[in-house]
Amino acid sequence: MVVNFFAVICLGIACQILFFIYGINHKAKSDRSFLILTLLAIAISLAYEMNIFSLSFGNNYPLFAKISLSLYISLNTILIGSFTLNNIITFEDKTKYILVVKFIVAMLLSLCCILIFQNVFTEKSFTYDIQPISWIKNMDPHMHRIMVWNVGPLFKIMVFFWSVLVTIYGLLAVIRIAIRGFYNSVKDFVILGIFFIQCLFFFLFIKKSEVILLQATIFSYFSPILYYLLTYMMRPLFIKKSMRSKLYEESNDIFIIFNADDLLTDFNNSARIFFGFTKKDIYNLSLQNFIKDYVPLGNVPSDSFSVDQINVKNDRDDNIICQLDFHRIKYFDKFTTCSFFVIHDISEIFQNFAEIQQSSMTDRITGLLAQHVLAKKIREINIFRRFPYSAASCSIHVKKERKDLNENFALVKVAECIKSRIRGSDFASYENGNIVLLFPAEYNVAQNVMERIISAIEEDEYLKTDVSFQYGLTTRESPDEDIQQTINRAHAIMFKNKIESSIHGVTIDY
């Protein structure tokens, strides 16, 4: 049985050596903490094997058994100290007196090792006892023995102070985790876990007054493996999850997730703010009710789809124009795993686009519709053969005596008078210095609109005495006539009136 146990330890040492070679060839080559931990774990396994090997010969080599056990305990102590020395909590490298703390830890470590080896010969601090291994039965007692030590008061005090030091660093790790967050403190969780194991080991050590050799060996064996796993393999996953969590939680887009039963299971901060969701809504709000109350889709979708523009509302009757994406995730193309909405608020973009579109459709001086809009309107009238239709061409002239009145300003004022008097179905645009009006009506109706415009101009204090206003009005002769010809006739009448008219006061001709 001892031979088999000896073979198991040899296999463990071989695995640690192979893992050490793997670690230095994959990411951990320059990591001093990993190198120290792995070498210590191999040395501890060797010391434990030496102790078991010496005891297998009975009481023939007591000094060798004591030395191997003392070496084993010292290496475990160094393993504990290495975590403390290599993982000082620095709070973003701003902690003072780091060297002083490291010096104190190194002194405690040295005193422990000296005391352990001094006791090999004197046995003043603790005594060595040989006990049978309890979990091996039905074998010769001489073939499955283990050497343990019973500690004295002095060593108990040292262990107490050492455990206090470990506890302090554990609390510092907790504070660091609280400050930086879970996903940014993976290594601190490793340290905290190791410190917790150390505290538990010290507690058992003082309470039972004997070394728990098997537990300590397992702890030392898995320490470098755990360190490498969480630091170099799991850390990138935690970082990715942290970034996804940040993007999901802090995103301006609204994320709402439903489970396989179409019940609300998660939502981000933007959804909480807009819809007012709380934890009580989880597993209570169904996808059908969500669509019924908030998103006007009608039926529950059975597959993924996107909507470029949709009005989404909440309980406060706030409406936003959104771009909506719905995805239903399935496996085996049949069973739903989950489904989620991504709602992107485009209200501001839509408003800006509407303003830009409106700005592109109007003349920047007069505010009337632009020339390219007039061209579209002409094509529309011709295609649909709008009839009856009337057209007017207008122009203004500022008296030379009125030098303080800008012609552009007068043009703006006239345009305001026109916009305030035309009907909703009428069309007013600015083209090459002239104002073109189109009326979906006969001549008499258009003439009434023009008289209202003239009345507004005569009432304006800036225009009534110093601006001359001429216009020409005509109507479309038939549905087949090009409306552009009607506008041209109105231009001709306006120019004729402009030549013949007087420039005194407000002159109205048609």
Side-chain angles (χ1 to χ4, degrees):
M1 187 67 188
V2 174
V3 175
N4 294 337
F5 191 67
F6 181 79
V8 170
I9 297 177
C10 289
L11 181 62
I13 294 174
C15 292
Q16 285 181 324
I17 293 173
L18 292 176
F19 177 73
F20 175 75
I21 296 173
Y22 172 84
I24 61 176
N25 290 325
H26 295 80
K27 305 176 183 178
K29 184 176 182 179
S30 58
D31 190 339
R32 186 178 62 177
S33 298
F34 173 76
L35 298 178
I36 292 175
L37 289 176
T38 309
L39 293 176
L40 284 173
I42 295 173
I44 288 171
S45 299
L46 286 172
Y48 187 45
E49 186 174 8
M50 286 176 6
N51 182 258
I52 295 295
F53 181 76
S54 61
L55 290 175
S56 64
F57 291 98
N59 297 327
N60 297 328
Y61 304 99
L63 182 61
F64 182 72
K66 288 183 179 181
I67 292 176
S68 60
L69 179 60
S70 299
L71 180 62
Y72 172 84
I73 300 300
S74 299
L75 290 173
N76 271 284
T77 306
I78 294 172
L79 180 68
I80 295 172
S82 65
F83 269 93
T84 307
L85 290 172
N86 292 293
N87 297 290
I88 298 293
I89 307 301
T90 60
F91 290 105
E92 309 301 334
D93 297 327
K94 295 181 180 179
T95 302
K96 297 181 179 179
Y97 312 117
I98 295 178
L99 294 178
V100 176
V101 174
K102 288 187 175 183
F103 175 76
I104 294 174
V105 174
M107 289 298 297
L108 284 173
L109 188 64
S110 301
L111 288 174
C112 286
C113 293
I114 291 173
L115 182 62
I116 290 170
F117 276 97
Q118 183 184 12
N119 196 76
V120 172
F121 304 100
T122 61
E123 294 191 6
K124 292 182 178 179
S125 301
F126 47 85
T127 58
Y128 293 96
D129 293 323
I130 299 178
Q131 299 178 4
I133 301 176
S134 59
W135 48 272
I136 300 178
K137 298 180 180 180
N138 300 323
M139 292 291 293
D140 185 0
H142 294 286
M143 299 297 294
H144 56 272
R145 296 182 301 173
I146 189 171
M147 179 173 283
V148 300
W149 56 349
N150 297 320
V151 298
L154 178 62
F155 201 79
K156 286 184 178 182
I157 294 175
M158 294 193 65
V159 170
F160 172 76
F161 281 111
W162 188 266
S163 61
V164 169
L165 179 64
V166 170
T167 303
I168 291 173
Y169 280 105
L171 293 176
L172 290 176
V174 171
I175 295 173
R176 185 180 177 89
I177 292 168
I179 293 175
R180 300 188 64 191
F182 175 81
Y183 295 114
N184 296 321
S185 306
V186 177
K187 192 173 182 179
D188 297 313
F189 270 103
V190 177
I191 298 170
L192 185 61
I194 298 299
F195 284 158
F196 176 77
I197 295 173
Q198 293 168 0
C199 289
L200 180 62
F201 176 73
F202 284 138
F203 175 76
L204 295 175
F205 189 32
I206 294 174
K207 183 178 180 180
K208 295 185 177 181
S209 299
E210 63 183 26
V211 177
I212 314 299
L213 293 181
L214 183 61
Q215 289 88 331
T217 303
I218 294 174
F219 161 69
S220 64
Y221 183 86
F222 286 104
S223 292
I225 299 175
L226 179 65
Y227 177 89
Y228 184 88
L229 176 66
L230 292 179
T231 303
Y232 294 102
M233 298 183 69
M234 298 300 296
R235 185 180 179 88
L237 299 179
F238 283 130
I239 293 174
K240 289 180 182 178
K241 189 172 182 180
S242 175
M243 292 181 66
R244 290 173 183 168
S245 175
K246 290 294 182 183
L247 291 172
Y248 168 76
E249 202 57 47
E250 304 300 330
S251 174
N252 292 326
D253 293 341
I254 297 174
F255 287 85
I256 303 168
I257 303 176
F258 295 88
N259 61 16
D261 298 323
D262 285 343
L263 296 176
L264 179 66
T265 186
D266 196 9
F267 51 86
N268 69 342
N269 189 53
S270 298
R272 180 187 62 81
I273 294 174
F274 181 75
F275 292 109
F277 289 155
T278 62
K279 292 183 178 179
K280 294 181 180 179
D281 296 314
I282 294 182
Y283 301 122
N284 291 324
L285 180 64
S286 67
L287 176 59
Q288 183 176 3
N289 290 334
F290 175 75
I291 292 175
K292 178 182 177 181
D293 297 336
Y294 302 108
V295 182
L297 292 177
N299 299 323
V300 175
S302 59
D303 207 348
S304 302
F305 69 93
S306 297
V307 180
D308 291 334
Q309 183 179 333
I310 189 171
N311 287 323
V312 176
K313 65 177 182 177
N314 56 21
D315 292 335
R316 302 184 298 273
D317 291 330
D318 297 331
N319 283 276
I320 57 174
I321 302 175
C322 299
Q323 180 181 359
L324 183 144
D325 292 317
F326 175 80
H327 298 281
R328 187 175 286 278
I329 301 176
K330 300 180 179 181
Y331 62 97
F332 297 129
D333 297 328
K334 183 178 180 180
F335 303 101
T336 299
T337 302
C338 68
S339 56
F340 62 92
F341 283 96
V342 181
I343 302 175
H344 179 58
D345 185 1
I346 60 172
S347 299
E348 185 175 353
I349 299 174
F350 190 83
Q351 182 179 358
N352 292 338
F353 175 76
E355 293 176 355
I356 293 172
Q357 189 178 34
Q358 181 64 27
S359 176
S360 66
M361 293 178 63
T362 57
D363 178 69
R364 62 184 181 87
I365 298 177
T366 63
L368 300 175
L369 294 172
Q371 185 174 349
H372 68 89
V373 182
L374 174 61
K376 292 181 180 179
K377 186 67 175 179
I378 291 172
R379 288 196 298 270
E380 175 196 328
I381 295 172
N382 291 332
I383 291 172
F384 294 100
R385 305 177 70 200
R386 309 291 189 193
F387 187 82
Y389 234 92
S390 300
S393 176
C394 312
S395 68
I396 65 169
H397 181 74
V398 179
K399 285 180 62 174
K400 294 181 180 180
E401 291 81 2
R402 186 71 185 274
K403 296 182 179 180
D404 60 330
L405 182 60
N406 186 280
E407 186 170 350
N408 286 337
F409 178 74
L411 184 61
V412 171
K413 298 295 290 184
V414 170
E416 291 177 354
C417 294
I418 292 174
K419 287 187 289 185
S420 66
R421 291 297 188 269
I422 61 176
R423 303 168 302 172
S425 59
D426 298 333
F427 184 90
S429 68
Y430 185 71
E431 177 192 32
N432 298 326
N434 299 318
I435 298 173
V436 177
L437 302 176
L438 297 176
F439 307 98
E442 297 178 349
Y443 183 89
N444 294 334
V445 177
Q447 178 62 38
N448 292 333
V449 177
M450 292 303 302
E451 289 177 356
R452 292 201 302 267
I453 294 172
I454 292 168
S455 176
I457 295 174
E458 289 177 341
E459 295 173 359
D460 192 286
E461 58 178 327
Y462 293 101
L463 304 175
K464 59 184 178 181
T465 58
D466 300 301
V467 174
S468 145
F469 176 82
Q470 295 86 28
Y471 73 92
L473 178 64
T474 186
T475 189
R476 197 178 189 191
E477 296 178 351
S478 69
D480 296 325
E481 182 186 24
D482 191 339
I483 191 65
Q484 183 63 56
Q485 295 180 2
T486 310
I487 296 172
N488 292 339
R489 289 203 309 272
H491 283 325
I493 296 172
M494 183 270 297
F495 283 123
K496 179 181 177 182
N497 293 333
K498 189 173 183 179
I499 293 172
E500 296 176 353
S501 67
S502 173
I503 314 179
H504 300 288
V506 178
T507 304
I508 311 298
D509 294 306
Y510 60 91

